[in-house]
Amino acid sequence: MSQRVNAFAQSPELFKKFVEFGMLLQSGTIESSILHLVEIRASQMNGCGFCLDMHVKQAKIHGERELRLHHVAIWRESTLFSPRERAALAWTEVLTHLPVQGVPDEVYERVRSELSEKEISDLSFAIMSINGWNRLNVGFRSVPGSADKAYGLDKAKLD
């Protein structure tokens, strides 16, 4: 597989602003461990190999346990995630694949029982961001692992 277009080279100002947006998310109310899980789950759902590869490596570098990384795809059955993480993953799934009838009340109530309104808002922006990155990288066939050295992801030691 080869990359179709380097959107970042073609639209550098938009790329810069989107990166800045992502950096703001890092200083929000949602802990980085949950942001990593959200990025991984949305990327799995969207079939974005580039983002999945990148976010698994980032999570590993930041101390995430490998077994939990393997369990993100089966988070409902896994005993490795807290109620707060489960709520964030449920919210990620429903905002990534919006149901025709909208977000069910039970999903909202689940996330509302674990996160404040500000946290839900910050989490929703994080989900919006990763879904945007996924669409760029899937559409332009960004090659998984191709930016490892540039982003320092080779430190994950997940060859």
Side-chain angles (χ1 to χ4, degrees), residues 46-66:
N46 290 321
C48 185
F50 181 87
C51 291
L52 181 59
D53 179 82
M54 179 171 70
H55 293 298
V56 164
K57 290 172 181 171
Q58 285 177 333
K60 176 76 170 135
I61 289 169
H62 290 106
E64 186 58 76
R65 295 184 350 234
E66 285 190 49

Side-chain angles (χ1 to χ4, degrees), residues 3-157:
Q3 187 163 333
R4 291 177 170 158
V5 171
N6 183 338
F8 317 119
Q10 296 301 314
S11 305
E13 288 301 314
L14 293 174
F15 173 71
K16 180 181 174 189
K17 293 296 182 187
F18 207 30
V19 168
E20 288 174 11
F21 176 71
M23 298 305 286
L24 284 173
L25 295 169
Q26 306 266 328
S27 62
T29 59
I30 303 300
E31 53 269 43
S32 64
S33 60
I34 288 181
L35 290 176
H36 290 306
L37 297 176
V38 164
E39 291 164 338
I40 291 166
R41 186 62 189 131
S43 297
Q44 288 172 335
M45 293 175 70
N46 290 321
C48 185
F50 181 87
C51 291
L52 181 59
D53 179 82
M54 179 171 70
H55 293 298
V56 164
K57 290 172 181 171
Q58 285 177 333
K60 176 76 170 135
I61 289 169
H62 290 106
E64 186 58 76
R65 295 184 350 234
E66 285 190 49
L67 186 57
R68 281 174 40 100
L69 294 173
H70 291 292
H71 278 220
V72 172
I74 58 158
W75 66 268
R76 284 182 183 79
E77 294 82 22
S78 176
T79 59
L80 301 179
F81 301 101
S82 71
R84 181 176 170 85
E85 291 167 331
R86 291 174 180 282
L89 289 165
W91 195 243
T92 299
E93 289 187 355
V94 77
L95 291 187
T96 296
H97 287 171
L98 288 167
V100 173
Q101 73 279 9
V103 176
D105 289 339
E106 62 270 11
V107 176
Y108 175 76
E109 291 305 324
R110 180 178 189 179
V111 76
R112 184 66 183 99
S113 73
E114 295 294 332
L115 285 80
S116 70
E117 288 182 358
K118 170 73 167 134
E119 290 171 327
I120 295 169
S121 179
D122 286 358
L123 177 62
S124 298
F125 277 103
I127 294 164
M128 182 180 74
S129 177
I130 189 56
N131 277 289
W133 286 116
N134 288 166
R135 278 145 183 78
L136 278 174
N137 287 301
V138 169
F140 294 128
R141 292 187 179 159
S142 298
V143 178
S146 61
D148 281 4
K149 287 197 192 269
Y151 297 140
L153 300 174
D154 48 344
K155 294 178 185 117
K157 307 255 189 266

